[in-house]
mmCIF file of all heavy atoms in Angstrom:
data_model
loop_
_atom_site.group_PDB
_atom_site.id
_atom_site.type_symbol
_atom_site.label_atom_id
_atom_site.label_comp_id
_atom_site.label_asym_id
_atom_site.label_seq_id
_atom_site.Cartn_x
_atom_site.Cartn_y
_atom_site.Cartn_z
ATOM 1 N N ILE A 1399 173.306 -2.901 -51.310
ATOM 2 C CA ILE A 1399 173.830 -1.684 -50.690
ATOM 3 C C ILE A 1399 175.251 -1.911 -50.198
ATOM 4 O O ILE A 1399 176.143 -1.103 -50.442
ATOM 5 C CB ILE A 1399 172.914 -1.235 -49.523
ATOM 6 C CG1 ILE A 1399 171.565 -0.789 -50.092
ATOM 7 C CG2 ILE A 1399 173.554 -0.102 -48.738
ATOM 8 C CD1 ILE A 1399 170.522 -0.506 -49.055
ATOM 9 N N LEU A 1410 183.993 7.240 -51.043
ATOM 10 C CA LEU A 1410 183.390 7.503 -49.735
ATOM 11 C C LEU A 1410 184.449 7.928 -48.725
ATOM 12 O O LEU A 1410 184.214 8.831 -47.924
ATOM 13 C CB LEU A 1410 182.644 6.261 -49.243
ATOM 14 C CG LEU A 1410 181.317 6.008 -49.957
ATOM 15 C CD1 LEU A 1410 180.761 4.624 -49.604
ATOM 16 C CD2 LEU A 1410 180.297 7.089 -49.609
ATOM 17 N N GLY A 1416 185.360 15.607 -45.022
ATOM 18 C CA GLY A 1416 184.486 16.747 -45.301
ATOM 19 C C GLY A 1416 183.092 16.534 -44.745
ATOM 20 O O GLY A 1416 182.471 17.457 -44.221
ATOM 21 N N ASP A 1468 164.248 46.952 -31.193
ATOM 22 C CA ASP A 1468 165.465 46.481 -31.851
ATOM 23 C C ASP A 1468 165.180 45.663 -33.105
ATOM 24 O O ASP A 1468 165.841 45.830 -34.119
ATOM 25 C CB ASP A 1468 166.285 45.611 -30.884
ATOM 26 C CG ASP A 1468 166.924 46.441 -29.792
ATOM 27 O OD1 ASP A 1468 167.067 47.660 -30.005
ATOM 28 O OD2 ASP A 1468 167.241 45.878 -28.728
ATOM 29 N N ASN A 1475 167.952 48.286 -40.878
ATOM 30 C CA ASN A 1475 169.355 48.574 -41.206
ATOM 31 C C ASN A 1475 169.926 47.523 -42.149
ATOM 32 O O ASN A 1475 170.556 47.847 -43.152
ATOM 33 C CB ASN A 1475 170.208 48.622 -39.937
ATOM 34 C CG ASN A 1475 169.964 49.893 -39.148
ATOM 35 O OD1 ASN A 1475 169.304 50.811 -39.619
ATOM 36 N ND2 ASN A 1475 170.489 49.934 -37.941
ATOM 37 N N LYS A 1508 196.633 48.032 -65.721
ATOM 38 C CA LYS A 1508 197.043 46.922 -64.845
ATOM 39 C C LYS A 1508 197.417 47.431 -63.453
ATOM 40 O O LYS A 1508 197.059 46.837 -62.440
ATOM 41 C CB LYS A 1508 198.256 46.191 -65.460
ATOM 42 C CG LYS A 1508 197.882 45.103 -66.453
ATOM 43 C CD LYS A 1508 197.840 43.768 -65.750
ATOM 44 C CE LYS A 1508 197.110 42.659 -66.441
ATOM 45 N NZ LYS A 1508 196.479 42.801 -67.704
ATOM 46 N N PHE A 1519 191.943 42.630 -49.656
ATOM 47 C CA PHE A 1519 192.800 41.708 -48.900
ATOM 48 C C PHE A 1519 193.089 42.185 -47.488
ATOM 49 O O PHE A 1519 193.864 41.579 -46.771
ATOM 50 C CB PHE A 1519 194.114 41.492 -49.656
ATOM 51 C CG PHE A 1519 193.906 40.863 -50.990
ATOM 52 C CD1 PHE A 1519 193.970 41.608 -52.146
ATOM 53 C CD2 PHE A 1519 193.598 39.515 -51.079
ATOM 54 C CE1 PHE A 1519 193.748 41.026 -53.378
ATOM 55 C CE2 PHE A 1519 193.384 38.927 -52.304
ATOM 56 C CZ PHE A 1519 193.447 39.684 -53.453
ATOM 57 N N LEU A 1533 188.939 59.879 -39.101
ATOM 58 C CA LEU A 1533 187.806 60.308 -38.277
ATOM 59 C C LEU A 1533 188.151 60.588 -36.816
ATOM 60 O O LEU A 1533 187.294 61.066 -36.072
ATOM 61 C CB LEU A 1533 186.696 59.250 -38.321
ATOM 62 C CG LEU A 1533 186.066 58.971 -39.675
ATOM 63 C CD1 LEU A 1533 184.879 58.047 -39.518
ATOM 64 C CD2 LEU A 1533 185.643 60.246 -40.370
ATOM 65 N N LEU A 1539 192.377 63.412 -39.968
ATOM 66 C CA LEU A 1539 192.569 64.281 -41.118
ATOM 67 C C LEU A 1539 191.320 65.108 -41.432
ATOM 68 O O LEU A 1539 191.407 66.279 -41.803
ATOM 69 C CB LEU A 1539 192.937 63.422 -42.338
ATOM 70 C CG LEU A 1539 193.398 64.151 -43.596
ATOM 71 C CD1 LEU A 1539 194.658 64.939 -43.322
ATOM 72 C CD2 LEU A 1539 193.647 63.150 -44.725
ATOM 73 N N ILE A 1549 185.310 75.238 -39.582
ATOM 74 C CA ILE A 1549 184.184 74.424 -39.097
ATOM 75 C C ILE A 1549 184.648 73.700 -37.843
ATOM 76 O O ILE A 1549 185.779 73.190 -37.798
ATOM 77 C CB ILE A 1549 183.727 73.419 -40.175
ATOM 78 C CG1 ILE A 1549 183.272 74.182 -41.419
ATOM 79 C CG2 ILE A 1549 182.603 72.529 -39.643
ATOM 80 C CD1 ILE A 1549 182.971 73.307 -42.608
ATOM 81 N N SER A 1553 182.882 65.124 -33.450
ATOM 82 C CA SER A 1553 183.294 63.870 -32.819
ATOM 83 C C SER A 1553 182.566 62.745 -33.551
ATOM 84 O O SER A 1553 181.456 62.352 -33.227
ATOM 85 C CB SER A 1553 183.045 63.881 -31.324
ATOM 86 O OG SER A 1553 181.757 63.530 -31.025
ATOM 87 N N GLU A 1557 178.413 60.589 -33.547
ATOM 88 C CA GLU A 1557 177.423 61.326 -34.344
ATOM 89 C C GLU A 1557 176.767 60.412 -35.371
ATOM 90 O O GLU A 1557 177.311 60.226 -36.470
ATOM 91 C CB GLU A 1557 178.119 62.485 -35.078
ATOM 92 C CG GLU A 1557 178.182 63.773 -34.314
ATOM 93 C CD GLU A 1557 176.811 64.386 -34.097
ATOM 94 O OE1 GLU A 1557 175.847 64.027 -34.819
ATOM 95 O OE2 GLU A 1557 176.713 65.234 -33.180
ATOM 96 N N TRP A 1561 177.003 58.371 -40.284
ATOM 97 C CA TRP A 1561 177.452 56.997 -40.460
ATOM 98 C C TRP A 1561 176.871 56.229 -41.631
ATOM 99 O O TRP A 1561 177.580 55.420 -42.227
ATOM 100 C CB TRP A 1561 177.374 56.216 -39.142
ATOM 101 C CG TRP A 1561 178.603 56.543 -38.386
ATOM 102 C CD1 TRP A 1561 178.791 57.617 -37.562
ATOM 103 C CD2 TRP A 1561 179.862 55.893 -38.477
ATOM 104 N NE1 TRP A 1561 180.087 57.666 -37.123
ATOM 105 C CE2 TRP A 1561 180.775 56.610 -37.661
ATOM 106 C CE3 TRP A 1561 180.323 54.774 -39.158
ATOM 107 C CZ2 TRP A 1561 182.109 56.245 -37.523
ATOM 108 C CZ3 TRP A 1561 181.650 54.400 -39.010
ATOM 109 C CH2 TRP A 1561 182.530 55.135 -38.203
ATOM 110 N N SER A 1578 184.834 44.704 -59.776
ATOM 111 C CA SER A 1578 185.225 45.149 -61.111
ATOM 112 C C SER A 1578 186.182 44.148 -61.757
ATOM 113 O O SER A 1578 186.129 43.949 -62.971
ATOM 114 C CB SER A 1578 185.844 46.548 -61.066
ATOM 115 O OG SER A 1578 187.014 46.533 -60.307
ATOM 116 N N ILE A 1579 187.017 43.489 -60.956
ATOM 117 C CA ILE A 1579 187.942 42.507 -61.538
ATOM 118 C C ILE A 1579 187.159 41.306 -62.086
ATOM 119 O O ILE A 1579 187.464 40.772 -63.151
ATOM 120 C CB ILE A 1579 188.980 42.038 -60.496
ATOM 121 C CG1 ILE A 1579 189.823 43.205 -59.985
ATOM 122 C CG2 ILE A 1579 189.886 40.962 -61.073
ATOM 123 C CD1 ILE A 1579 190.662 43.899 -60.999
ATOM 124 N N MET A 1597 181.898 48.036 -85.514
ATOM 125 C CA MET A 1597 182.654 49.160 -86.041
ATOM 126 C C MET A 1597 182.438 49.327 -87.531
ATOM 127 O O MET A 1597 182.345 50.433 -88.031
ATOM 128 C CB MET A 1597 184.136 48.978 -85.736
ATOM 129 C CG MET A 1597 184.496 49.675 -84.459
ATOM 130 S SD MET A 1597 186.112 49.327 -83.838
ATOM 131 C CE MET A 1597 186.661 47.930 -84.664
ATOM 132 N N MET A 1614 176.463 41.389 -72.887
ATOM 133 C CA MET A 1614 177.292 40.208 -72.655
ATOM 134 C C MET A 1614 177.559 39.992 -71.169
ATOM 135 O O MET A 1614 177.799 38.872 -70.728
ATOM 136 C CB MET A 1614 178.634 40.333 -73.393
ATOM 137 C CG MET A 1614 178.518 40.328 -74.906
ATOM 138 S SD MET A 1614 177.852 38.786 -75.543
ATOM 139 C CE MET A 1614 179.353 37.842 -75.771
ATOM 140 N N TYR A 1639 180.831 46.274 -37.184
ATOM 141 C CA TYR A 1639 181.322 46.155 -35.815
ATOM 142 C C TYR A 1639 182.671 46.846 -35.645
ATOM 143 O O TYR A 1639 182.852 47.640 -34.723
ATOM 144 C CB TYR A 1639 181.446 44.671 -35.448
ATOM 145 C CG TYR A 1639 181.866 44.421 -34.022
ATOM 146 C CD1 TYR A 1639 180.940 44.466 -32.988
ATOM 147 C CD2 TYR A 1639 183.195 44.140 -33.714
ATOM 148 C CE1 TYR A 1639 181.332 44.236 -31.674
ATOM 149 C CE2 TYR A 1639 183.580 43.909 -32.407
ATOM 150 C CZ TYR A 1639 182.649 43.958 -31.396
ATOM 151 O OH TYR A 1639 183.040 43.737 -30.099
ATOM 152 N N VAL A 1651 172.223 53.382 -36.170
ATOM 153 C CA VAL A 1651 172.475 53.287 -37.606
ATOM 154 C C VAL A 1651 173.501 52.219 -37.977
ATOM 155 O O VAL A 1651 173.781 52.014 -39.156
ATOM 156 C CB VAL A 1651 172.918 54.636 -38.228
ATOM 157 C CG1 VAL A 1651 171.780 55.635 -38.206
ATOM 158 C CG2 VAL A 1651 174.130 55.194 -37.510
ATOM 159 N N SER A 1672 168.963 35.484 -28.790
ATOM 160 C CA SER A 1672 169.873 35.648 -29.925
ATOM 161 C C SER A 1672 169.768 34.470 -30.894
ATOM 162 O O SER A 1672 169.931 34.655 -32.097
ATOM 163 C CB SER A 1672 171.323 35.902 -29.496
ATOM 164 O OG SER A 1672 171.640 35.259 -28.317
ATOM 165 N N ILE A 1697 162.737 33.634 -65.826
ATOM 166 C CA ILE A 1697 163.197 34.595 -66.824
ATOM 167 C C ILE A 1697 164.234 33.961 -67.743
ATOM 168 O O ILE A 1697 164.144 34.031 -68.962
ATOM 169 C CB ILE A 1697 163.814 35.838 -66.144
ATOM 170 C CG1 ILE A 1697 162.790 36.499 -65.209
ATOM 171 C CG2 ILE A 1697 164.266 36.854 -67.200
ATOM 172 C CD1 ILE A 1697 163.399 37.533 -64.302
#
Side-chain angles (χ1 to χ4, degrees):
Chain A
I1399 293 172
L1410 285 169
D1468 289 339
N1475 286 350
K1508 274 265 162 0
F1519 298 103
L1533 298 187
L1539 189 61
I1549 300 172
S1553 84
E1557 271 293 341
W1561 277 86
S1578 63
I1579 299 297
M1597 266 170 344
M1614 294 297 270
Y1639 184 81
V1651 292
S1672 32
I1697 302 168

